[in-house]
Amino acid sequence: MFTPSRPPLGSLLLLLNESNEFVGDKVAYALSQSLKVIACVGETLEQRESGSTLDVVATQTKAIAERVSNWANIVLAYEPVWAIGTGKVATPAQAQEVHFELRK
């Protein structure tokens, strides 16, 4: 159960310094065990401010795409790291920009 004091998995992976490739491997493994996956992608505040959001999210997503061929049991969730537990939220325009790129 998610509570405000416990960040979502995607932010925990960042805090644990797990590489995009390792996360991709974990997604592939979860699928191989007949689990469904919600993969959170998103950027840090520094990445947002430097204008690299789309590159960061594309790299994160590519690491998963290189390891799976069927996306039927995967949900991608845009969860910017800078918005987790800070009281800041992504604007609808920011989220729509990322969603548009993810759908390509």
Side-chain angles (χ1 to χ4, degrees), residues 43-50 81-82 88:
E43 78 285 7
T44 64
L45 183 58
E46 296 80 21
Q47 291 165 328
R48 161 63 63 186
E49 290 175 344
S50 72
V81 177
W82 54 265
K88 297 181 181 182

Side-chain angles (χ1 to χ4, degrees), residues 43-98:
E43 78 285 7
T44 64
L45 183 58
E46 296 80 21
Q47 291 165 328
R48 161 63 63 186
E49 290 175 344
S50 72
S52 61
T53 296
L54 298 180
D55 291 334
V56 170
V57 171
T59 300
Q60 293 168 339
T61 306
K62 182 179 178 191
I64 296 169
E66 290 174 344
R67 290 158 177 80
V68 301
S69 58
N70 183 346
W71 288 76
N73 290 316
I74 301 173
V75 172
L76 285 179
Y78 174 57
E79 183 66 36
V81 177
W82 54 265
I84 299 170
T86 64
K88 297 181 181 182
V89 296
T91 66
Q94 289 170 323
Q96 288 172 5
E97 175 188 30
V98 174

